[in-house]
Amino acid sequence: MFASIVLSCDILPAQEETAPQRLPRENLLVYRDKANHPRPVESIDDWQKRRSEIIAGMQTVMGQLPGEEKRCTLDVQVEEEVDCGKYVRRLISYASEPGSRVPAYLCIPKAALADGASPVPAALCLHGTDNTIGHGTVVGLGRPNRNYAGELAERGWVTLAPNYPLLAKYQPDLKELGWESGTLKAVWDNIRGLDLLDTLPYVQQGQYGAIGHSLGGHNSVYTAVFDPRITTVVTSCGLDSYLDYYDAKPEVWQAGRGWTQVRYMPRLADYRGDLTQIPFDFHEMIGALAPRSVLIIAPLRDSNFRHASVDKIATAARPIFQLYGRPTALKVMHPDVEHDFPPKMRQQAYEFLEATYRSSATPKRGSAN
C-alpha cells in the first residue's frame, strides 16, 4: 500500500536537497528528516514526523498549547436547569484555568440519569459566530437550524456547548491570562470541557464527538487536532484553505480583519504579504485528524468558504487516511444551500456521528502536542 502512495509523490530524495521553508500543503506525503531534507512518507512513523511539524506550525501562530500549569479544579457550577422533554438542559460554568470560568450548556438525556442506566455517548457542540447569545444558538435559543446540541440530546447524547471567548457574555481578558490568540484559548476551553465530560458517570468516557457550524466548524477541527479524545468530527460551513479565503483579497488579511481578529489569530496578519508561507492550513489539519472519522459539509452556495477549496483540501488529506487503512473515514458533502445547517444536513451529521462513534479509533488520554 505504501509503495503505491509514494509513487504519487513527486519528491526527489537526493541527499543534497534542502527542505523548503514550508513543506507543501497540497502534498502531505513528505516530511523532513533529521538533516532537514525532504523525504517521502512511507510509514505512519514518517507521517508522525510531518504531523509534529504541522502542530508546531499551528503553535507558531496560535501560541503554545499549555500543559498542567493551566489545569485547575473544574469547580462546575449549575446556574439554571430547564426540563426540555427528553432531556434536561443545564446552564453551567466551569474553571478552564485559574482566573477564567467558561459558560456552557450541558444537555443530558433523562434516560441517562435513570437508576441503572448505561453510560451514553457525548459530544462537544461548538457554536457559530453570534455576539448576542453565543452558545445559546446550539440549544435552540436563537436562530433556526442551529439546535444541534438539543437535537443530539433528544437522540440520547450528552452534549456540552461552551461559549467561544470574546463573544456574547463571555469576555475573558486574553492578554491578562497569557493567551496569544482567541483560537487557542477556545481550544483550551474545549479541552477542559472534555475533562469535564470525563468526570460524568453517565457518559461513555474517553472518546467524544465534536460538531460545529461556521466558527464552530473550524473550532471543532482545531480542537480535535490537539486532543485525540475527539474521535469523530463534523464541520459544517467551517473551512477552506487560507489561500482561498474570500479569494485572498488583501484587505481581508489586514490586522484586525477576518482570521486576524483578536478572537482568532492576530499573528496571521504577519503573512498578508505571502499567504503561501502560513505554516499550516486545513489540508494539513484535516490530514492530522486521521485515522478518525471526519465529515466536512461544504455547501455549493456558501459565501464564506469556497467548496472547491474544500475538495482540494480533502484530496490532499485522503492519502493520510489511506495510510492508516481508513480511506473512507473522510467524507465531504456539497449540499446546494447557502451558509446554513438545514435539517437534512443535520440529520446526516447525526447519523454520521452515530454510525462512526463505536468504530472510531480508541484514543489515548491527553493532548497530541
Side-chain angles (χ1 to χ4, degrees):
M1 177 180 69
F2 298 153
S4 64
I5 293 174
V6 171
L7 287 175
S8 68
C9 304
D10 296 325
I11 304 170
L12 297 176
Q15 291 293 327
E16 66 275 8
E17 185 177 358
T18 301
Q21 181 178 354
R22 188 213 193 284
L23 293 175
R25 56 177 44 77
E26 69 279 358
N27 183 1
L28 303 189
L29 292 172
V30 58
Y31 73 101
R32 300 179 203 264
D33 65 15
K34 291 182 179 179
N36 204 37
H37 297 143
R39 292 289 179 264
V41 169
E42 297 179 325
S43 68
I44 291 173
D45 285 344
D46 290 344
W47 160 246
Q48 287 298 320
K49 296 181 179 69
R50 174 67 185 274
R51 189 182 190 277
S52 294
E53 182 165 331
I54 293 165
I55 292 174
M58 294 173 69
Q59 293 182 104
T60 297
V61 174
M62 298 178 181
Q64 292 295 310
L65 186 74
E68 293 304 313
E69 74 280 2
K70 280 277 190 183
R71 275 191 162 86
C72 61
T73 302
L74 289 164
D75 186 29
V76 178
Q77 298 177 9
V78 179
E79 300 176 17
E80 176 186 78
E81 181 169 312
V82 177
D83 188 329
C84 296
K86 290 184 178 180
Y87 66 95
V88 294
R89 185 185 74 223
R90 294 174 180 168
L91 176 60
I92 68 169
S93 66
Y94 60 91
S96 64
E97 60 178 306
S100 180
R101 296 192 63 83
V102 182
Y105 283 104
L106 178 65
C107 298
I108 312 164
K110 290 180 179 178
L113 295 172
D115 291 342
S118 298
V120 300
L124 280 178
C125 294
L126 305 178
H127 67 89
T129 303
D130 187 290
N131 209 18
T132 303
I133 60 172
H135 61 152
T137 59
V138 300
V139 295
L141 299 180
R143 64 185 70 180
N145 291 334
R146 301 293 187 271
N147 185 22
Y148 35 93
E151 290 171 348
L152 275 171
E154 289 180 342
R155 298 172 76 101
W157 287 63
V158 169
T159 61
L160 180 69
N163 208 94
Y164 191 91
L166 302 186
L167 284 176
K169 295 181 179 180
Y170 182 39
Q171 298 292 319
D173 188 331
L174 299 186
K175 185 176 181 179
E176 179 69 22
L177 292 167
W179 296 99
E180 297 174 33
S181 70
T183 293
L184 198 67
K185 168 60 170 165
V187 167
W188 182 253
D189 288 349
N190 296 339
I191 287 172
R192 297 292 282 141
L194 297 178
D195 291 345
L196 190 160
L197 292 175
D198 275 347
T199 70
L200 302 179
Y202 43 83
V203 164
Q204 291 181 12
Q205 297 169 2
Q207 57 177 3
Y208 304 107
I211 180 172
H213 174 77
S214 193
L215 164 64
H218 43 260
N219 192 8
S220 296
V221 172
Y222 295 147
T223 305
V225 170
F226 285 109
D227 199 312
R229 289 175 292 178
I230 297 175
T231 57
T232 310
V233 177
V234 176
T235 171
S236 166
C237 299
L239 59 94
D240 62 5
S241 171
Y242 296 130
L243 303 183
D244 298 321
Y245 179 66
Y246 280 96
D247 301 320
K249 294 177 181 178
E251 60 268 24
V252 175
W253 290 95
Q254 296 298 316
R257 301 283 303 276
W259 285 114
T260 74
Q261 296 175 68
V262 172
R263 65 173 175 248
Y264 301 121
M265 294 169 279
R267 284 184 182 173
L268 281 178
D270 296 343
Y271 298 91
R272 61 184 177 272
D274 186 1
L275 299 179
T276 66
Q277 291 306 311
I278 296 173
F280 65 101
D281 207 335
F282 283 99
H283 312 63
E284 293 144 312
M285 289 184 284
I286 296 299
L289 298 181
R292 293 171 278 177
S293 299
V294 181
L295 172 61
I296 305 175
I297 301 173
L300 297 177
R301 292 183 280 126
D302 188 346
S303 60
N304 289 38
F305 299 107
R306 309 295 182 253
H307 68 88
S309 181
V310 171
D311 287 337
K312 291 186 290 184
I313 288 167
T315 296
R318 280 198 179 97
I320 307 306
F321 288 82
Q322 183 179 346
L323 187 67
Y324 280 95
R326 299 201 72 215
T328 62
L330 172 59
K331 298 183 183 298
V332 178
M333 303 180 72
H334 292 305
D336 188 11
V337 298
E338 298 179 347
H339 189 81
D340 201 2
F341 202 3
K344 181 178 179 181
M345 300 316 303
R346 296 200 307 280
Q347 175 71 21
Q348 290 177 297
Y350 305 153
E351 291 173 356
F352 180 83
L353 284 167
E354 291 164 350
T356 60
Y357 181 74
R358 288 180 177 82
S359 63
S360 295
T362 300
K364 295 179 181 179
R365 176 69 185 270
S367 301
N369 63 332

